[in-house]
Amino acid sequence: MFDLVRKLLGRKFRQSEVELLNDALDVGISGRNKAILGTKRAIGPRGVALIKRFEGCARLRRDGMVEAYPDPGTGAEPWTIGWGATGKEFDTDDRIGPGSVWTQAQCDARLATDLIAYAEEVSRAIGAAPTTQGQFDAMVSFHYNIGAIHRATLTRKHKVGDFASATAEFTRWNKAGGRVLKGLVNRRREEAQLYKES
């Protein structure tokens, strides 16, 4: 690049020109990376509040500890603890299951970590599609609960700007274990409302 510009100028660079060209290249590279990777976004307070309201930090024991519970749809796997955490235990590679017990601080820390990961996954799924904070928050809540942001028709509709159809897609995800659950109906309604308000 420098050789090409030097040839066009027909002379050597001045130091101020080198600095300007370096700055321009940095901006160009940064912009290209953003286009490839998507803009890094974070879930907002309304999205966190929605997730906390529907996940709850259930099974608080008298000693202040929080214990795991089975999935409401299956009555078994996946076992859940704290603010809807599934998968691995807080500090080991063991799976969350019957007998898993965490402190409230561990539940809160896991939620914060998980929300960063889920927000990154939503960002990758929607790419550069114009997205309001409310739409983003609703999709992170949806993905946190369902884990389907990459395959959901909701995502495809959002990416093409068909926000009305995307809003309607939330209501389709109201079943667990093949049954419609009132909690999921209510959550999808709240997510759709947050998505639509934006």
Side-chain angles (χ1 to χ4, degrees):
M1 178 63 115
F2 280 90
D3 289 338
L4 175 62
V5 175
R6 190 179 299 116
K7 194 180 244 184
L8 291 171
L9 287 173
R11 61 174 171 77
K12 290 185 177 181
F13 287 106
R14 295 184 192 105
Q15 185 58 38
S16 61
E17 292 169 332
V18 169
E19 290 168 8
L20 284 172
L21 191 52
N22 270 333
D23 290 344
L25 288 170
D26 287 344
V27 168
I29 291 167
S30 171
R32 189 175 73 227
N33 287 342
K34 281 184 182 175
I36 293 167
L37 301 175
T39 303
K40 187 169 185 165
R41 300 191 65 165
I43 188 169
R46 291 177 70 196
V48 174
L50 192 152
I51 289 170
K52 283 186 165 184
R53 187 167 64 252
F54 283 100
E55 294 294 344
C57 201
R59 298 284 172 104
L60 182 64
R61 301 184 336 180
R62 288 184 183 182
D63 64 0
M65 301 293 281
V66 178
E67 65 183 19
Y69 57 92
D71 180 79
T74 66
E77 292 286 335
W79 282 74
T80 305
I81 193 166
W83 302 106
T86 59
K88 291 185 179 179
E89 283 279 358
F90 184 78
D91 55 359
T92 70
D93 284 338
D94 296 335
R95 295 207 43 88
I96 296 166
S100 294
V101 179
W102 292 2
T103 65
Q104 184 66 55
Q106 288 173 315
C107 295
D108 295 344
R110 175 64 175 269
L111 176 65
T113 301
D114 284 350
L115 289 180
I116 291 168
Y118 281 92
E120 287 174 356
E121 290 175 12
V122 171
S123 290
R124 279 196 303 276
I126 63 175
T131 307
T132 66
Q133 187 65 50
Q135 289 171 332
F136 187 78
D137 288 359
M139 288 188 286
V140 173
S141 175
F142 169 83
H143 185 47
Y144 187 85
N145 182 236
I146 302 294
I149 199 68
H150 296 289
R151 70 177 191 271
T153 303
L154 159 65
T155 306
R156 288 193 299 278
K157 301 276 187 186
H158 177 81
K159 287 173 72 172
V160 297
D162 187 355
F163 302 135
S165 294
T167 301
E169 286 295 317
F170 283 96
T171 60
R172 296 183 59 222
W173 297 82
N174 61 4
K175 295 183 181 86
R179 297 183 336 222
V180 173
L181 296 183
K182 184 177 180 181
L184 291 179
V185 170
N186 293 338
R187 183 172 185 157
R188 298 292 95 83
R189 183 183 65 243
E190 294 283 329
E191 289 166 347
Q193 186 61 38
L194 180 57
Y195 182 92
K196 188 169 52 174
E197 283 176 4
S198 309

